[in-house]
Amino acid sequence: MAKQVLSFTLNDSETDVLVQPYVTLLDALREDLELTGPKEGCGTGDCGACTVHLDGKPVASCLVLALQARGRSVRTIEGLGRFDALHPLQDAFVRLGVPQCGFCIPGVLMAAAALLAENPHPSEEEIRYGIAGNLCRCTGYTKMLAAITEAAGVAPARRA
Amino acid sequence: MRRFQLALPRNIDECVKFLAERGPETKVIAGGTDLLPQMKNGLLKPAAVVDLSGVADLRTLRRQDGSGLRVGASVTAREIERDAYVRSAYPALAESGALVGSVQIRNLATVGGNLCNAAPSADMAPPLLALEAEAVVAGPRGRRRVSLSDFFTGVRRTVLAPDELLVELIVPALGPRSGGQYLRHTPRRELDIAVVGVASQITMSDGVCAKARIALAAVAPTPIRATAAEQALEGRPLTAEQIGRAATLAVEAARPISDQRGSADFRRHLVAVLTRRTLTTALERAAR
């Protein structure tokens, strides 16, 4: 089957890439574009490890066909902050030592960034719902909650 | 996932044309949250897939002055959950949208997908049934309207022919003093599937119930209406006793199975509890 051109905005850059029509956005990001921040945990939308922003909204990239992103904007964890200028959430996660094994963290950060973009001062309940689609098998939710709360207080409405 | 050809139509006509040519071997993808897991585990093996994401006409969610709401088939659960007009005029529908999956799922999952996937537990089906929504279906011979109560024909089966596409839902306007609610029971608060779901929708007039609509999910092969319970309420004041009687009649409409989510007996119990609670809230909301 012939590959097709996927033209989209990836982490603020106009991007063209050849993809098979039957691959997911997650596989195109990881295999064809070498962005391995988004992870495949379950492949069925249950775990949230593959969370990216599609037109600013958090989605499970394992349930999106790559070509469904044509003409749209995708942001992955690689485009959330820069090494020399971390997103306030990344900064808080580092300082509070949130990651344990780290596998779920890119997805959690993307879900949390989308939450804060929409709701700069969420309640504890809203934070818990905001990351309810992300499973952490180390069960490090307590520190996640603390870090998101702190990031929301420090620097609320940066870009998602 | 098995390989497939992907069609990328830009409008409804192109979509229907492709379905007319390749319908029986084709699946339609909107949000993909039900379809892709079934394709990944080999349950579905379509030779071709039609992607609706480029069809803007399917994404409109608009209020029609005096005649209700039009919900495009590709409107997402998240849009339903957050739309200010849906929340105020059709809270039962907004509540059902808010219960689908997680936020990552709700940003993808669509109203049309929830209905066309036709799971007995589909959360957005009971409120739309209770609101007497009509489905607009496009096919090679033009468009037809189907009452949502005639839409589901079995577990994962609908009236849609292989060359037909669900275009939108038309939700009638509600009279004054109307109220509704959708509640479901799940062991977990998020990312779960209804053990039982119940939507109640009522309209009051001069202290009596002028109209009642009650719909149930996950207690029959399809989402169903509890018509005997509805009829028992109409023309009467909604006292606790009347609501209790309707709950008993709703249980009689249910034909639940026992499975890993719950026993048939537990499901019947839940139908009674959730019918009572949703009717009570619907009455409170109708008074506002």
Side-chain angles (χ1 to χ4, degrees):
Chain A
M1 217 165 272
K3 286 192 173 183
Q4 287 172 251
V5 179
L6 164 62
S7 296
F8 69 134
T9 305
L10 176 59
N11 294 331
D12 300 317
S13 299
E14 297 307 315
T15 302
D16 295 320
V17 62
L18 281 169
V19 297
Q20 294 287 3
Y22 47 83
V23 303
T24 62
L25 176 59
L26 176 63
D27 285 343
L29 291 171
R30 291 181 57 86
E31 308 296 332
D32 298 307
L33 292 153
E34 299 184 351
L35 295 179
T36 54
K39 309 286 189 240
E40 178 164 83
C42 63
T44 51
D46 296 295
C47 78
C50 66
T51 303
V52 303
H53 295 178
L54 183 59
D55 292 335
K57 298 180 182 121
V59 299
S61 64
C62 73
L63 296 183
V64 179
L65 293 177
L67 286 167
Q68 289 186 298
R70 65 193 186 282
R72 302 172 76 178
S73 168
V74 172
R75 187 176 301 283
T76 68
I77 186 70
E78 287 88 348
L80 187 68
R82 298 196 318 264
F83 281 109
D84 57 351
L86 294 180
H87 185 283
L89 279 163
Q90 291 171 311
D91 185 61
F93 271 53
V94 170
R95 277 186 296 100
L96 273 69
V98 177
Q100 293 184 48
C101 88
F103 192 87
C104 71
I105 296 295
V108 173
L109 283 166
M110 295 312 284
L115 170 71
L116 295 191
E118 200 172 86
N119 180 1
H121 301 291
S123 65
E124 180 184 327
E125 175 91 350
E126 288 167 338
I127 294 174
R128 288 183 182 277
Y129 268 106
I131 59 168
N134 297 81
L135 295 181
C136 168
R137 295 196 69 178
C138 309
T139 70
Y141 299 110
T142 304
K143 282 189 172 181
M144 282 180 201
L145 183 63
I148 296 168
T149 305
E150 188 176 302
V154 172
R158 241 185 70 157
R159 62 143 197 243
Chain B
M1 212 161 21
R2 208 179 75 160
R3 296 177 175 195
F4 54 82
Q5 185 196 339
L6 184 63
L8 305 173
R10 286 156 300 176
N11 54 54
I12 293 167
D13 286 348
E14 285 180 11
C15 195
V16 169
K17 192 161 166 276
F18 189 89
L19 289 175
E21 289 163 9
R22 306 277 305 271
E25 49 178 356
T26 302
K27 294 301 284 186
V28 170
I29 188 168
T33 58
D34 279 320
L35 182 67
L36 289 182
Q38 292 178 63
M39 287 171 63
K40 287 183 183 194
N41 71 15
L43 210 65
L44 294 174
K45 297 169 186 167
V49 171
V50 179
D51 170 38
L52 300 183
S53 69
V55 185
D57 284 348
L58 297 173
R59 288 201 298 270
T60 50
L61 172 62
R62 64 179 191 277
R63 173 185 188 170
Q64 309 188 105
D65 282 333
S67 56
L69 183 73
R70 297 179 92 96
V71 185
S74 293
V75 169
T76 65
R78 184 74 169 155
E79 290 171 275
I80 293 288
E81 170 190 2
R82 292 177 62 82
D83 184 82
Y85 180 65
V86 175
R87 287 165 71 113
S88 70
Y90 304 98
L93 181 58
E95 286 162 342
S96 72
L99 287 168
V100 173
S102 61
V103 65
Q104 289 95 328
I105 301 290
R106 291 195 289 280
N107 277 324
L108 296 171
T110 65
V111 177
N114 197 232
L115 299 177
C116 293
N117 193 56
S121 56
D123 282 311
M124 289 187 274
L128 287 168
L129 278 171
L131 288 163
E132 300 185 296
E134 273 194 309
V136 178
V137 174
R141 290 161 302 280
R143 296 200 176 186
R144 63 181 178 126
R145 282 191 181 204
V146 185
S147 164
L148 198 59
S149 54
D150 298 325
F151 187 77
F152 306 104
T153 55
V155 177
R156 299 197 177 280
R157 296 167 66 92
T158 70
V159 295
L160 291 182
D163 57 1
E164 287 185 315
L165 178 75
L166 175 63
V167 171
E168 65 179 352
L169 284 309
I170 297 177
V171 186
L174 298 170
R177 287 180 291 285
S178 293
Q181 187 185 35
Y182 176 67
L183 284 180
R184 71 171 191 190
H185 176 78
T186 51
R188 298 195 303 182
R189 280 166 56 184
E190 185 87 339
L191 255 174
D192 209 342
I193 292 170
V195 182
V196 170
V198 178
S200 291
Q201 193 68 45
I202 61 156
T203 301
M204 300 297 289
S205 177
D206 297 328
V208 300
C209 175
K211 187 170 180 176
R213 295 290 178 263
I214 301 166
L216 318 175
V219 291
T222 68
I224 54 167
R225 287 255 305 270
T227 45
E230 297 169 356
Q231 283 160 13
L233 292 171
E234 289 178 356
R236 296 193 169 85
L238 289 192
T239 59
E241 191 191 345
Q242 291 300 338
I243 286 174
R245 193 163 145 249
T248 305
L249 289 167
V251 172
E252 287 172 19
R255 304 188 302 281
I257 56 167
S258 294
D259 65 10
Q260 79 278 9
R261 289 186 217 290
S263 67
D265 278 347
F266 182 47
R267 284 193 158 101
R268 277 188 280 268
H269 168 72
L270 287 172
V271 169
V273 172
L274 297 178
T275 302
R276 209 160 49 228
R277 287 185 189 165
T278 51
L279 281 171
T280 305
T281 305
L283 181 61
E284 285 167 17
R285 288 179 176 173
R288 273 183 221 152

